[in-house]
């Protein structure tokens, strides 16, 4: 099958695959509903505050381009999380490590505790950090996380237990400094 301008498979510079005109309102509604979720997720995955807006737009461009491939009868948050995870990973691999942690949430009286948590989370491997973020911060169930990561719910529960134990050790060490 040839990919020609105007065909659903064609992705050219000036003519990306996009939602049909009748579904643009659905795309706009998803954008409005999940905007904060994607921004928050990108920040929690280590995207510096100054890059979150660009990364968020990139995430929704991926949705826009892959509109016909996405099962919109199910929650899009797991899918958007996966996109945000890849974008954050790409950004981290392109950037040199920062000396100071980035505040990923609105300032509040518990800033020092939040800073400590983020410094500790940054020391976990990607999988454990993601599982803690999804379960403990975003409130996803082990079954939902298992589906997102394509592992069993038991694996998620085991990794969550290990991640929490490691996080406690890291926080204890950081507090001792």
């Amino acid at each position: 099958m040839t990919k020609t301008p105007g065909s659903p498979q064609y992705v050219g510079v000036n003519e990306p695959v996009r939602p049909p005109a009748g579904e643009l309102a659905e795309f706009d509604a998803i954008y409005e509903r999940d905007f904060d979720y994607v921004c928050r997720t990108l920040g929690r995955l280590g995207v510096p505050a100054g890059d979150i807006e660009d990364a968020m737009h990139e995430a929704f461009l991926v949705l826009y381009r892959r509109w016909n491939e996405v099962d919109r009868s199910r929650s899009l948050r797991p899918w958007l999380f996966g996109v945000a995870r890849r974008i954050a990973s790409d950004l981290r691999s392109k950037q040199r490590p920062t000396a100071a942690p980035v505040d990923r949430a609105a300032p509040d009286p518990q800033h020092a505790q939040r800073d400590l948590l983020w410094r500790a989370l940054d020391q976990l491997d990607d999988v454990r950090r993601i599982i803690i973020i999804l379960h403990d911060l975003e409130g996803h169930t082990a079954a939902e996380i298992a589906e997102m990561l394509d592992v069993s719910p038991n694996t998620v529960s085991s990794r969550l237990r290990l991640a929490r134990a490691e996080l406690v050790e890291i926080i204890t060490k950081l507090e001792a400094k």
Side-chain angles (χ1 to χ4, degrees):
M1 177 180 212
T2 307
K3 294 180 181 181
T4 58
S7 73
Q9 296 79 25
Y10 179 78
V11 180
V13 174
N14 296 321
E15 195 171 340
V17 172
R18 61 182 176 267
E23 295 178 16
L24 286 175
E26 182 182 359
F27 177 86
D28 289 344
I30 291 167
Y31 181 89
E32 289 295 321
R33 181 189 67 222
D34 292 323
F35 176 91
D36 289 337
Y37 172 78
V38 172
C39 288
R40 188 174 60 245
T41 297
L42 288 163
R44 288 177 170 172
L45 291 173
V47 174
D51 294 334
I52 288 178
E53 185 176 347
D54 288 341
M56 182 274 311
H57 287 296
E58 180 62 30
F60 282 101
L61 279 173
V62 171
L63 174 61
Y64 190 83
R65 289 182 188 126
R66 297 186 61 193
W67 185 256
N68 295 327
E69 301 169 32
V70 177
D71 181 0
R72 293 179 312 281
S73 67
R74 301 171 64 180
S75 171
L76 283 181
R77 285 194 171 184
W79 189 87
L80 287 167
F81 182 89
V83 171
R85 177 183 173 193
R86 284 185 291 282
I87 290 169
S89 176
D90 289 347
L91 284 172
R92 277 195 316 273
S93 69
K94 293 176 186 176
Q95 295 173 340
R96 59 181 164 75
T98 57
V102 177
D103 182 16
R104 294 178 181 92
D108 65 25
Q110 299 167 344
H111 177 76
Q113 290 177 340
R114 181 170 291 147
D115 181 60
L116 178 66
L117 174 62
W118 286 117
R119 286 188 295 138
L121 282 170
D122 284 343
Q123 293 184 34
L124 292 175
D125 69 48
D126 284 347
V127 172
R128 289 181 180 180
R129 179 176 53 248
I130 287 166
I131 288 174
I132 284 184
I133 288 169
L134 287 172
H135 189 274
D136 293 347
L137 300 178
E138 292 296 332
H140 290 282
T141 66
E144 291 170 330
I145 297 168
E147 185 178 336
M148 286 182 223
L149 301 179
D150 197 27
V151 297
S152 76
N154 289 340
T155 299
V156 169
S157 296
S158 174
R159 289 179 180 171
L160 179 61
R161 182 181 48 77
L162 293 171
R164 285 175 174 161
E166 185 178 353
L167 188 63
V168 167
E169 287 179 28
I170 293 169
I171 289 172
T172 301
K173 289 177 186 175
L174 289 172
E175 287 177 324
K177 289 184 180 180

